[in-house]
Amino acid sequence: MDYAATTPVAECVLQAMLPWLRDRPGNAASLTHGWGRQAQAMVEASRQDLAQLVGAEAREIIWTSGATEANNLAIKGVADAYANRGRQLISLRTEHKSVLDPLCQLEQAGFRVSWLVPDADGRLRMADLTAALSEQCTLVSVMLVNNETGVVQDIPAIAAAVHDSGALLHVDAAQALGKLPIDVQALDVDLMSFCAHKLYGPKGIGALYVRRRPHVRLTAQQHGGGHERGLRSGTLPTHQIAGFAAACTLAAQEMPAEALRITALRQRLWQGISSLPGILLNGHPDKRVAGILNVSVEGVDGEALFAALEMEGLGVSAGSACTAASAESSYVLRALGRSDELAYASVRFSLGRDSSQAEVDAAIGIFTAGVTRLRQLSPVWEAGATP
Amino acid sequence: MNPMDPMYSEAVWARFRSPAHAGRLHGPQVTTVRMQTPGSRAVLQLQLSVAGTGPTAQVQQARFLAYGGVASIAAADWLAEYVSGKAVVEVQGLAVNQLMEALSLPVVKRHSALLACNALQAALAQTTGSVQ
């Protein structure tokens, strides 16, 4: 139950990729022969497929190696291109590391980054945003769906405030693409990051939407060859692009029904595990993507909890980024006000197209048994130290 | 399904899965200590049932409760088994490294072994003079 980390490549996606690995070897930039033109035609058709899924024009899509690169290109590219206008950037503490780290790097380079803290439900406070916006601000970066909690931000309202101040809005939509409808025009965003492997496509391919009207200027971060209109040099991975396009087509077909089905499964999962005391929902109860459920568990240690679940065959993700040597709890959950202990003892369940009611029921049983066993072992829970 | 985290030995996983010495003791001969280490979140409650005094004092039973990670639970279970039935003079010299070697604990989990040994020392100190 870890579909938010990545998803298995769908069979139709694999079949779309294989010809470009076997007998269609052309470089999409080699237009002097048929193999190259064949590759270029597929790349452009694929660009159209992604653009159509998000309400963009094909020429507004730039291929990248993934959402991390797309986030880096958007943030560093805008910061540099508009540096003469201002050097303030704004983002949320709960963004993905691939947004936080480029911003921290820009901070070290002399840019001023205003870090906003969300409310206890994980949503951006509009008053905080409007207070932080200044004439010096060139970019605000806010993700559409949080990767840990599944919380969905009110992007149209954020876009209105950002554009009122004259800044641009970048949205990391890695967890949103194929999970909920996206229309870049309706959302009124200037830049949006995507990746394929969260929607049953291959790893290693992503894209950045860059608005053309009004035109968004961007400084390239990778040079050599001038591919992708000079914004992202590098030979295009045709098989991965073909796979990304097939994943977009699959998402367009399945998304409406899958969103309903997976929402019902998530609600069943929540009802099942929340019959235990001391299970706290992380993130807004309603403003959330279908497939992600994040809970904090009182009275148990995070490492022991994950071990107990894995032992019984339940693969879930930590709300925390922990390692054996340094157990760092989730910065996202701490930003929502969870204690270090609770942030550490947090579980992200994420459901996908192969999830079933039987699988959810089994997960409820494993979770309930594991938590109950660890609490019976715990002097803290016995004493009610974390009631 | 991937194998369990190879950081831990089979012995650790077995004790984590089925800690035979988890639980509580009751009675006038039972000493209870609860300890925490500043370097981790783990909390260990150790109970010893000790009979006799001086050189003849003997740990009859030991039980534990633990809030902590895999290593903390496994270390506590090993400790409770190790001391049960042994003379106090024999167990009071238990070294942290002895526990770590018995379970092949990684160095980054030394605090788990230390917590167990500290709890034992505290329980034995509390027992001294109070056992008839």
Side-chain angles (χ1 to χ4, degrees):
Chain A
M1 288 197 171
D2 200 14
Y3 288 84
T6 194
T7 56
V9 172
E11 180 61 27
C12 63
V13 170
L14 177 64
Q15 292 306 320
M17 294 174 69
L18 287 175
W20 303 96
L21 287 165
R22 284 179 177 147
D23 50 4
R24 298 179 191 174
N27 185 325
S30 299
L31 304 182
T32 54
H33 51 67
W35 294 287
R37 289 191 292 273
Q38 182 184 45
Q40 189 211 26
M42 181 277 293
V43 164
E44 296 312 314
S46 298
R47 205 186 300 275
Q48 179 61 42
D49 289 341
L50 172 56
Q52 191 172 329
L53 185 61
V54 299
E57 296 176 28
R59 57 185 177 167
E60 294 176 311
I61 300 295
I62 304 295
W63 299 120
T64 66
S65 62
T68 292
E69 186 191 339
N71 287 340
N72 272 265
L73 176 57
I75 292 166
K76 294 177 190 169
V78 165
D80 183 77
Y82 292 85
N84 289 337
R85 215 207 78 189
R87 295 174 74 83
Q88 186 203 11
L89 308 161
I90 299 176
S91 192
L92 267 177
R93 287 280 184 202
T94 48
E95 293 295 306
H96 191 268
K97 286 280 189 183
S98 59
V99 165
L100 300 184
D101 286 354
L103 286 168
C104 287
Q105 194 172 9
L106 289 166
E107 211 167 21
Q108 290 174 356
F111 286 81
R112 182 165 69 87
V113 180
S114 302
W115 298 105
L116 305 182
V117 177
D119 64 20
D121 285 336
R123 301 257 288 174
L124 181 145
R125 296 183 180 94
M126 289 304 298
D128 290 353
L129 175 62
T130 51
L133 283 164
S134 76
E135 289 184 356
Q136 297 298 308
C137 182
T138 56
L139 183 73
V140 176
S141 183
V142 177
M143 71 209 312
L144 179 49
V145 173
N146 185 273
N147 56 305
E148 287 195 23
T149 62
V151 167
V152 178
Q153 298 291 348
D154 186 355
I155 297 299
I158 293 168
V162 170
H163 291 151
D164 278 351
S165 78
L168 299 171
L169 176 61
H170 165 247
V171 173
D172 175 2
Q175 290 286 352
L177 186 66
K179 310 296 167 55
L180 48 82
I182 294 175
D183 183 331
V184 292
Q185 303 299 327
L187 293 172
D188 197 18
V189 301
D190 302 294
L191 303 115
M192 186 174 267
S193 302
F194 308 107
C195 65
H197 75 99
K198 308 288 190 189
L199 61 150
Y200 311 98
K203 298 167 182 66
I205 182 71
L208 179 66
Y209 159 78
V210 185
R211 191 179 216 164
R212 287 182 66 86
R213 287 188 299 270
H215 178 63
V216 173
R217 287 184 287 125
L218 206 56
T219 301
Q221 302 298 305
Q222 182 166 307
H223 307 92
H227 305 76
E228 298 298 280
R229 300 198 309 280
L231 290 175
R232 198 275 186 182
S233 291
T235 300
L236 292 173
T238 49
H239 59 296
Q240 288 169 297
I241 290 172
F244 197 172
C248 289
T249 302
L250 179 68
Q253 292 166 353
E254 293 190 345
M255 189 165 44
E258 275 294 274
L260 291 174
R261 188 183 73 86
I262 291 174
T263 297
L265 287 179
R266 190 197 77 225
Q267 289 169 341
R268 184 182 183 89
L269 178 60
W270 169 240
Q271 284 167 3
I273 65 173
S274 61
S275 63
L276 284 171
I279 307 296
L280 311 175
L281 178 67
N282 291 317
H284 196 283
D286 305 317
K287 306 291 186 188
R288 57 192 312 123
V289 76
I292 297 179
L293 175 66
N294 191 313
V295 297
S296 294
V297 185
E298 293 179 333
V300 301
D301 174 85
E303 189 210 13
L305 176 60
F306 281 96
L309 299 181
E310 188 186 357
M311 231 173 218
E312 302 305 323
L314 179 56
V316 290
S317 175
S320 61
C322 56
T323 65
S326 67
E328 183 198 347
S329 64
S330 161
Y331 65 87
V332 171
L333 299 182
R334 279 187 274 122
L336 268 57
R338 292 288 184 230
S339 67
D340 200 32
E341 283 76 8
L342 278 176
Y344 187 56
S346 296
V347 179
R348 180 188 69 182
F349 298 90
S350 49
L351 308 171
R353 68 196 295 259
D354 295 327
S355 299
S356 65
Q357 187 170 308
E359 190 184 39
V360 166
D361 290 347
I364 293 168
I366 292 170
F367 181 87
T368 303
V371 171
T372 301
R373 183 174 83 82
L374 291 175
R375 283 176 173 171
Q376 286 170 347
L377 279 178
S378 169
V380 177
W381 179 254
E382 178 194 47
T386 54
Chain B
M1 175 54 58
N2 292 326
M4 299 302 292
D5 190 338
M7 176 169 69
Y8 295 125
S9 64
E10 284 300 321
V12 169
W13 284 120
R15 289 185 183 277
F16 173 72
R17 184 193 291 270
S18 303
H21 299 84
R24 299 174 186 82
L25 294 175
H26 303 282
Q29 292 182 315
V30 174
T31 299
T32 302
V33 294
R34 185 174 290 190
M35 298 211 74
Q36 201 164 0
T37 50
S40 83
R41 305 173 185 85
V43 181
L44 173 60
Q45 174 177 299
L46 181 66
Q47 291 184 299
L48 302 181
S49 172
V50 178
T53 56
T56 64
Q58 187 179 47
V59 181
Q60 293 182 308
Q61 284 190 87
R63 289 288 182 272
F64 79 93
L65 293 173
Y67 166 84
V70 172
S72 297
I73 291 169
D77 192 57
W78 183 91
L79 179 90
E81 179 181 291
Y82 173 79
V83 301
S84 293
K86 286 193 171 70
V88 167
V89 291
E90 185 181 352
V91 301
Q92 64 189 7
L94 177 67
V96 174
N97 284 347
Q98 187 179 345
L99 199 166
M100 289 189 66
E101 286 168 15
L103 291 175
S104 301
L105 280 177
V107 174
V108 293
K109 295 298 176 183
R110 183 178 174 84
H111 59 84
S112 299
L114 187 62
L115 176 62
C117 290
N118 285 348
L120 175 63
Q121 296 307 324
L124 292 176
Q126 196 170 312
T127 301
T128 305
S130 66
V131 178
Q132 300 305 311

